[in-house]
Amino acid sequence: MASVHNARRSFMKMLFTAMAVALPTATAFAAEPIPADLRETALGTFKALPSTTPAVANNPITPEKIALGKALFFDPRVSASGVLSCNSCHNLATGGDDNLETSIGHGWQKGPRNAPTVLNAVFNIAQFWDGRAEDLKAQAKGPVQAGVEMANTPDQVIATLKSMPQYVDWFDAAFPGAADRVTFDNLAKAVEAFEATLVTPAPFDAFLNGDDAAMASEQKQGLALFMEKGCSSCHAGINVGGEAYYAFGIVEKPSAEVRPEKDKGRFAVTNSADDSYVFRVAPLRNVALTAPYFHSGKVWDLKQAVAIMGTTQLGEELKAEEVDLLVAFLNSLTGKVPEVVLPILPAETATTPRPVSQILGK
């Protein structure tokens, strides 16, 4: 009996010893200490959002211009069909995008790429995935004229707006110094002025500004890991991305579904072989609200998107615990969307062009 008892004691001792050794290994990652200089280190890479509407180049922002831009942003009559507005693809109620793989445009056509969020877009180095629009003014003109989107023409848009006296008054108030106030350029400037107000301060900004309690412990651990792993080499600056161009598949080529072979990204803009499969780095603010992910819109789960970025951009298969912490940090980028009251739009008149089903734009 004594030998059996001793054997049991030996076995239990070995079991508890093994558990004691294994437990730190299993929990060490979760218990990773938060660096004391985390905020200082982060401020070397990121920047908090401003507390006021940012200025934009060559377009002084005024309340009248913002009000006009908001009306134009929500007005479907800017499209040839009278069905689609800017808000159709950049829905302010759903993260500033449409939560579709690729957007649906004129005549139920399917667009080629996933719609980026309009929230905080004013801070991007350029607009669209390939950066073909230098600013929000240029971006505002593109979808209006694209046959797969609004399918309209500048002349038709201006004829529509001029047919409604209330719009003429609003343009007069927004551009008092201009000789010809109701123009396609001024439409774009007004939309840009409104979109510049769509800034979403988040817990991450409060942390950068000195509030230690703004982010949970796992979010801070995720921030530290985000910088340690090198994610912040591309996703940096005020928009946590949107400031540079990089190849999608730096280390490992993504699957053909996630990165379609026919879409070579910025190559279509520059015609340079070096820009093949190069895209503007996605800004990560409010990323938890903007599924599906990537320019193809083929990935619906944020954890899966993070894991794909690990293998394709970092050349590393991230552990599940690491993915969880990185996603926790990304959740701290979800901000407060400004309250937007839907505008009451001017009524059509007898001279307002009627909606059409054909494509008017190029």
Side-chain angles (χ1 to χ4, degrees):
M1 290 291 293
S3 61
V4 173
H5 180 68
N6 289 337
R8 286 178 175 172
R9 288 182 60 187
S10 297
F11 174 75
M12 293 301 293
K13 182 177 180 181
M14 290 172 61
L15 180 62
F16 281 118
T17 300
M19 290 176 62
V21 172
L23 188 58
T25 302
T27 60
F29 200 92
E32 189 73 23
I34 298 169
D37 62 346
L38 179 62
R39 180 181 293 109
E40 289 71 23
T41 303
L43 284 170
T45 300
F46 308 105
K47 185 179 179 182
L49 290 174
S51 57
T52 58
T53 299
V56 294
N58 304 313
N59 187 17
I61 295 178
T62 63
E64 294 80 8
K65 201 176 290 184
I66 292 170
L68 171 61
K70 181 171 72 170
L72 294 168
F73 185 88
F74 284 99
D75 199 330
R77 293 167 300 187
V78 173
S79 67
S81 65
V83 172
L84 302 167
S85 70
C86 300
N87 193 65
S88 297
C89 296
H90 302 286
N91 194 322
L92 301 186
T94 60
D97 68 347
D98 54 15
N99 301 128
L100 298 172
E101 284 188 9
T102 61
S103 298
I104 302 300
H106 187 84
W108 296 101
Q109 297 178 89
K110 187 177 180 182
R113 291 178 182 155
N114 179 258
T117 178
V118 72
L119 301 177
N120 306 296
V122 66
F123 301 112
N124 293 332
I125 190 174
Q127 305 301 323
F128 298 115
W129 282 99
D130 55 17
R132 65 184 183 274
E134 62 180 356
D135 54 26
L136 288 172
K137 290 188 291 293
Q139 189 279 330
K141 295 179 179 181
V144 175
Q145 302 175 82
V148 75
E149 296 183 68
M150 293 183 178
N152 214 339
T153 67
D155 288 346
Q156 184 81 343
V157 172
I158 296 309
T160 299
L161 297 175
K162 283 186 173 180
S163 74
M164 294 176 265
Q166 182 67 72
Y167 261 128
V168 175
D169 290 345
W170 286 348
F171 271 89
D172 287 346
F175 300 96
D180 187 6
R181 295 162 187 172
V182 187
T183 67
F184 198 52
D185 281 343
N186 285 346
L187 174 149
K189 288 180 179 180
V191 171
E192 178 183 53
F194 170 64
E195 291 181 345
T197 68
L198 302 177
V199 177
T200 63
F204 180 56
D205 299 293
F207 172 75
L208 291 179
N209 286 328
D211 184 355
D212 286 328
M215 292 173 64
S217 294
E218 61 270 22
Q219 293 177 331
K220 294 176 185 176
Q221 288 177 280
L223 169 58
L225 187 65
F226 190 84
M227 294 187 288
E228 176 190 328
K229 291 290 185 182
C231 307
S232 58
S233 297
C234 298
H235 295 281
I238 193 169
N239 226 3
V240 196
E243 292 190 346
Y245 301 94
Y246 285 96
F248 185 19
I250 292 177
V251 180
E252 181 178 313
K253 180 181 174 181
S255 71
E257 181 183 41
V258 174
R259 195 197 75 178
E261 292 289 335
K262 64 181 180 180
D263 187 349
K264 292 189 176 183
R266 192 157 170 75
F267 172 80
V269 178
T270 66
N271 205 33
S272 168
D274 291 340
D275 285 332
S276 294
Y277 303 109
V278 167
F279 297 87
R280 188 201 63 190
V281 175
L284 296 183
R285 287 185 177 274
N286 300 295
V287 68
L289 307 177
T290 60
Y293 301 109
F294 305 124
H295 66 285
S296 60
K298 290 295 185 181
V299 177
W300 286 84
D301 182 75
L302 185 53
K303 289 184 180 181
Q304 183 185 358
V306 169
I308 288 172
M309 292 299 286
T311 56
T312 62
Q313 306 305 99
L314 304 177
E316 180 177 350
E317 188 171 340
L318 297 170
K319 299 179 179 69
E321 296 89 348
E322 293 174 323
V323 171
D324 286 342
L325 288 181
L326 290 170
V327 170
F329 163 61
L330 295 178
N331 283 328
S332 77
L333 301 176
T334 301
K336 180 177 174 55
V337 179
E339 183 176 348
V340 177
V341 178
L342 290 176
I344 303 300
L345 301 174
E348 298 90 345
T349 66
T351 60
T352 301
R354 299 295 176 247
V356 295
S357 59
Q358 70 265 34
I359 296 173
L360 300 181
K362 56 185 177 181

